[in-house]
Amino acid sequence: MRHLWEPYLEVSEELRYTERHKKWYRRRKETIERCFADAKEKHGMRWTTYRGLAKVTLQAMLTFAAMNLKKMANWLWKKAMPFYFFTFKQKKNGTSQILTHEKFRFSTV
């Protein structure tokens, strides 16, 4: 007797070796796996300090929510209007005037 999911496993096994799927899988290591690696290395997901499924699930949800908020902040920062900094020229009588302005955009790290 075959398992209920056996036909689906066979289809997924066939699709795994197509060129389209190989392309997607190469892209996965740059996107999804990078996200899990960041959670592990930068957000303390290597070990858990909590016991019980509910507490560990809550920790994981809060960690990934924080990572998503950081990602959204970076997107918004990169799309925001650049800041204007003005160069002032000091006159001899003590007053200053705006000489030029330059656009600067800070890079996010």
Side-chain angles (χ1 to χ4, degrees):
M1 182 174 212
R2 293 178 57 166
H3 192 273
L4 177 65
W5 292 349
E6 193 68 32
Y8 301 108
L9 291 173
E10 290 172 359
V11 170
S12 68
E13 194 65 29
E14 290 173 10
L15 290 175
R16 195 172 112 186
Y17 296 105
T18 62
E19 283 302 316
R20 187 176 185 185
H21 183 62
K22 287 179 183 180
K23 179 182 168 186
W24 284 347
Y25 196 75
R26 282 191 298 270
R27 175 109 167 118
R28 176 189 167 94
K29 70 179 176 184
E30 299 168 2
T31 55
I32 295 173
E33 297 297 333
R34 183 73 248 157
C35 178
F36 289 123
D38 285 345
K40 185 177 90 171
E41 295 297 323
K42 298 177 184 172
H43 296 281
M45 294 294 289
R46 186 180 294 261
W47 295 283
T48 181
T49 56
Y50 299 104
R51 291 182 59 121
L53 183 60
K55 291 179 184 177
V56 172
T57 302
L58 181 62
Q59 179 192 11
M61 286 172 42
L62 289 174
T63 299
F64 285 106
M67 290 174 66
N68 286 335
L69 286 173
K70 285 171 55 176
K71 189 183 295 186
M72 286 172 36
N74 280 331
W75 286 343
L76 290 174
W77 180 263
K78 289 177 182 176
K79 289 184 179 182
M81 291 293 292
F83 293 100
Y84 289 95
F85 290 91
F86 296 94
T87 306
F88 291 96
K89 181 179 180 181
Q90 190 74 24
K91 288 185 177 181
K92 291 182 181 177
N93 63 1
T95 62
S96 59
Q97 85 182 65
I98 297 174
L99 181 62
T100 60
H101 69 276
E102 298 178 38
K103 294 180 185 179
F104 291 98
R105 180 175 286 205
F106 292 105
S107 63
T108 56
V109 180

